[in-house]
């Protein structure tokens, strides 16, 4: 059963060169963004779970867990997410974006219940694996859905909702983890899929997917719901249909390897690579242990809560800026911030451990460095790779290519989280953070040379630019002013 909420929002709009009114956004689009983003809350909670839970598992009388098994509790989820990313590509193309997202809710619940009721570590691992597959599918499907439903003028802002609400999931996990035992925290995780499932029933499939299946009338209804009941959608329907006509032939793996599509795929893979090799998931998965290792003067559980709070707030800063400053400027700031803070943290650890200098007066520095690092990451390199995956991948290969990019992202996540302790042993804490800092610095040059600006451009315009294809149609309107009508109108 599918329920569509009526959402009429009144705006006064001055339109140039167009014969119809077009709102900048409607409540419908916000609802769609929030519904999809509730899945990201579960992903954020799943990613952060090991930080408070592993410390308590190792001291638990309810379950016995070795250090190697503990590393698999952290590392298995991204490994399973890799499989989910591969599975998600065909699913979003064949059964639709919305149904793919919907089908993750119940397995999420089952996975968390397995963890919550576990008396042996194998059930914890099974639950983490199930959640991991859903994380991989969701990571792929969320940006594809939002990229195809939200208007260009606000696609950056609303497209960051998954990251913003995902960071709420991280914050909830950190705060609850201070007070709850590991299995009680898992029960809390099992409750999160319920509102996610209910909200997903309220929104439609994407018009582009309906058009690709020849279901024009359903596409029109979905687009009308998204744009508002009083909005004329003929021009946008025509643009979607024209784009679909050019990619009507069934895509194959050979199409994904076509040279005209390789540029877009290369950029997405590059952004995913530098996102994960910045060390972010090592920091998120093992926040408490990092503070314990660094000798921070701040309580490790309080530190994780502060980190989660900074991560949460900084994403809303990115949401406010992304459609004003553009993607590339924020990526520049993000790269430089992460590079500097990781080098500073590594230098602190080197002076303390190798030069044996008393740094007790600088006990605040590890927390401050990680806070600023997370601020920089959440500003751009956290959300923008996923946002741009939904923007720059051409329609013909979007499902398959997004599957490859998502699987690659989670492969990098698995490598970083599983090898983090090995790297610490091999080159020491200082060398580990210096290594991540150098990778962030290389990422800055990648952004400068390779990444295009997509702010304010329709998916058709972006695709034409990425593939070198001449535009067959142009949108007839440009919004030059928009403001709410007085409430009495």
């Amino acid at each position: 059963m599918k329920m569509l909420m009526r959402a009429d929002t009144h705006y006064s709009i001055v339109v140039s060169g167009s014969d119809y009114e077009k709102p900048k956004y409607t409540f419908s689009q916000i609802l769609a963004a929030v519904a999809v983003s509730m899945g990201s809350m579960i992903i954020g909670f799943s990613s952060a779970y090991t930080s408070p839970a592993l410390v308590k598992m190792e001291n638990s009388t309810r379950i016995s867990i070795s250090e190697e098994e503990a590393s698999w509790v952290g590392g298995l989820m991204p490994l399973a997410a890799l499989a989910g990313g591969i599975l998600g590509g065909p699913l979003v193309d064949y059964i639709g974006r919305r149904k793919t997202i919907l089908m993750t809710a119940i397995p999420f619940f089952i996975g968390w219940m397995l963890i919550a009721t576990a008396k042996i570590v194998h059930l914890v691992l099974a639950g983490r694996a199930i959640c991991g597959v859903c994380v991989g599918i969701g990571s792929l499907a969320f940006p594809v859905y939002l990229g195809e439903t939200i208007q260009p003028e606000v696609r950056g802002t609303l497209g960051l909702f998954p990251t913003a609400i995902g960071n709420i999931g991280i914050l909830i996990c950190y705060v609850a983890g201070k007070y709850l035992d590991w299995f009680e925290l898992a029960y809390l995780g099992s409750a999160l899929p319920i509102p996610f499932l209910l909200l997903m029933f309220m929104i439609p499939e994407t018009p582009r997917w309906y058009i690709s299946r020849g279901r024009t009338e359903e596409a029109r209804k979905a687009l009308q719901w998204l744009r508002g009941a009083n909005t004329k959608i003929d021009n946008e329907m025509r643009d979607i249909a024209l784009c679909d006509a050019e990619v009507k032939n069934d895509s194959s793996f050979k199409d994904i390897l076509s040279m005209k599509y390789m540029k877009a795929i290369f950029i997405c893979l590059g952004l995913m690579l530098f996102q994960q090799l910045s060390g972010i998931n090592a920091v998120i998965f093992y926040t408490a242990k990092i503070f314990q290792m660094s000798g921070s003067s701040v309580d490790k559980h309080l530190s994780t809560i502060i980190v989660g709070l900074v991560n949460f707030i900084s994403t809303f800063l990115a949401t406010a800026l992304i459609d004003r400053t553009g993607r590339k400027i924020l990526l520049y700031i993000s790269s430089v911030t992460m590079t500097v803070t990781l080098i500073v943290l590594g230098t602190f650890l080197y002076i303390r451990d190798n030069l044996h200098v008393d740094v007790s007066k600088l006990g605040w520095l590890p927390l401050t460095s990680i806070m600023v690092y997370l601020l920089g990451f959440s500003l751009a390199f956290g959300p923008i790779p996923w946002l741009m995956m939904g923007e720059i991948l051409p329609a013909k290969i979007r499902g398959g290519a997004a599957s490859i990019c998502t699987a690659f992202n989670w492969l990098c996540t698995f490598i970083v989280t599983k090898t983090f302790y090995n790297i610490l042993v091999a080159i020491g804490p200082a060398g580990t953070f210096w290594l991540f800092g150098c990778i962030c610095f290389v990422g800055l040059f990648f952004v400068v040379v390779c990444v295009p600006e997509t702010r304010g451009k329709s998916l058709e315009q972006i695709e034409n630019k990425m593939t070198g294809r001449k535009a067959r149609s142009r949108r007839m309107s440009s919004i030059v002013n928009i403001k709410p009508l007085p409430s009495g109108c």
Side-chain angles (χ1 to χ4, degrees), residues 291-409:
F291 282 114
Q292 197 173 26
M293 174 192 69
S294 67
S296 173
S297 59
V298 183
D299 175 72
K300 62 184 179 182
H301 292 298
L302 178 60
S303 298
T304 59
I305 293 171
I306 295 171
V307 164
L309 192 61
V310 170
N311 204 25
F312 166 64
I313 293 171
S314 58
T315 308
F316 283 96
L317 179 62
T319 302
L321 292 175
I322 193 165
D323 280 321
R324 292 177 173 85
T325 61
R327 282 63 161 156
K328 291 194 72 170
I329 293 295
L330 291 182
L331 286 168
Y332 296 156
I333 296 170
S334 181
S335 299
V336 171
T337 302
M338 291 192 296
T339 300
V340 171
T341 52
L342 288 168
I343 296 298
V344 167
L345 182 57
T347 303
F348 169 86
L349 295 170
Y350 180 81
I351 292 172
R352 190 197 67 180
D353 297 339
N354 296 79
L355 302 183
H356 305 292
V357 175
D358 181 15
V359 292
S360 57
K361 292 183 179 179
L362 297 174
W364 51 268
L365 189 60
L367 175 60
T368 304
S369 296
I370 290 181
M371 282 171 60
V372 179
Y373 163 80
L374 283 171
L375 176 65
F377 178 83
S378 298
L379 191 65
F381 256 102
I384 289 179
W386 296 108
L387 174 67
M388 294 193 74
M389 184 180 78
E391 289 182 326
I392 69 174
L393 291 177
K396 186 172 185 178
I397 61 162
R398 189 167 291 143
S403 180
I404 292 171
C405 294
T406 302
F408 179 73
N409 181 283

Side-chain angles (χ1 to χ4, degrees), residues 245-292:
E246 294 181 355
V247 298
K248 197 65 178 177
N249 295 330
D250 290 337
S251 61
S252 62
F253 188 72
K254 191 163 62 176
D255 291 315
I256 295 175
L257 297 179
S258 171
M259 286 304 296
K260 71 175 181 177
Y261 298 136
M262 288 306 294
K263 180 180 178 182
I265 295 173
F266 169 74
I267 292 169
C268 284
L269 290 176
L271 287 171
M272 297 298 187
L273 177 72
F274 288 111
Q275 181 197 65
Q276 291 305 320
L277 295 191
S278 69
I280 183 60
N281 274 300
V283 173
I284 295 296
F285 278 50
Y286 303 112
T287 304
K289 292 196 173 187
I290 288 172
F291 282 114
Q292 197 173 26

Side-chain angles (χ1 to χ4, degrees), residues 37-213:
S37 301
M38 287 301 295
S40 283
M41 181 184 287
I42 308 172
I43 291 178
F45 192 95
S46 302
S47 299
Y49 175 75
T50 52
S51 180
L54 281 180
V55 175
K56 295 181 178 181
M57 276 185 186
E58 290 169 353
N59 301 308
S60 175
T61 57
R62 181 186 172 104
I63 195 169
S64 176
I65 185 169
S66 67
E67 190 169 318
E68 178 63 21
E69 288 168 337
S71 73
W72 275 107
V73 171
L76 188 58
M77 192 203 79
L79 185 63
L82 188 161
I86 296 171
L87 180 64
L91 284 175
V92 295
D93 279 342
Y94 293 122
I95 70 171
R97 284 64 161 134
R98 176 179 169 274
K99 286 182 181 176
T100 299
I101 295 171
L102 262 174
M103 67 177 286
T104 63
I106 293 175
F108 262 132
F109 175 79
I110 293 171
W112 279 114
M113 287 302 295
L114 279 175
I115 297 170
T117 57
K119 297 292 177 63
I120 56 173
V121 71
H122 297 89
L123 285 179
V124 175
L125 294 173
R128 291 288 285 174
I130 293 170
C131 288
V133 171
C134 296
V135 164
I137 293 171
S139 299
L140 180 150
F142 300 160
V144 172
Y145 182 93
L146 293 179
E148 293 185 354
T149 53
I150 297 172
Q151 289 176 244
E153 295 82 7
V154 289
R155 194 172 58 237
T157 300
L158 297 185
L160 290 192
F161 271 37
T163 304
I165 297 179
N167 286 337
I168 295 176
I170 293 173
L171 180 60
I172 290 171
C173 188
Y174 283 163
V175 173
K178 181 175 172 62
Y179 304 101
L180 301 180
D181 207 340
W182 63 270
F183 61 91
E184 296 169 329
L185 194 60
Y187 277 121
L188 177 60
S190 70
L192 297 180
I194 297 171
F196 170 53
L197 182 66
L198 294 176
L199 285 172
M200 283 303 302
F201 275 120
M202 298 179 183
I203 64 175
E205 180 56 78
T206 74
R208 292 172 191 276
W209 186 81
Y210 277 138
I211 288 285
S212 72
R213 292 296 180 266

Side-chain angles (χ1 to χ4, degrees), residues 401-476:
S403 180
I404 292 171
C405 294
T406 302
F408 179 73
N409 181 283
W410 287 106
L411 174 63
C412 293
T413 303
F414 171 73
I415 291 170
V416 170
T417 53
K418 192 69 177 70
T419 62
F420 180 61
Y421 280 122
N422 303 95
I423 298 171
L424 281 175
V425 172
I427 61 178
T432 301
F433 289 108
W434 282 341
L435 174 63
F436 289 144
C438 290
I439 292 171
C440 291
F441 187 65
V442 175
L444 172 63
F445 289 95
F446 173 80
V447 173
V448 172
V449 174
C450 301
V451 178
E453 182 55 71
T454 58
R455 177 172 63 115
K457 296 177 181 176
S458 70
L459 296 186
E460 291 78 19
Q461 290 170 329
I462 296 169
E463 181 169 340
N464 291 336
K465 182 177 180 180
M466 295 303 298
T467 61
R469 185 180 68 204
K470 292 184 179 180
R472 289 184 56 181
S473 66
R474 295 185 62 182
R475 295 192 183 277
M476 300 298 292

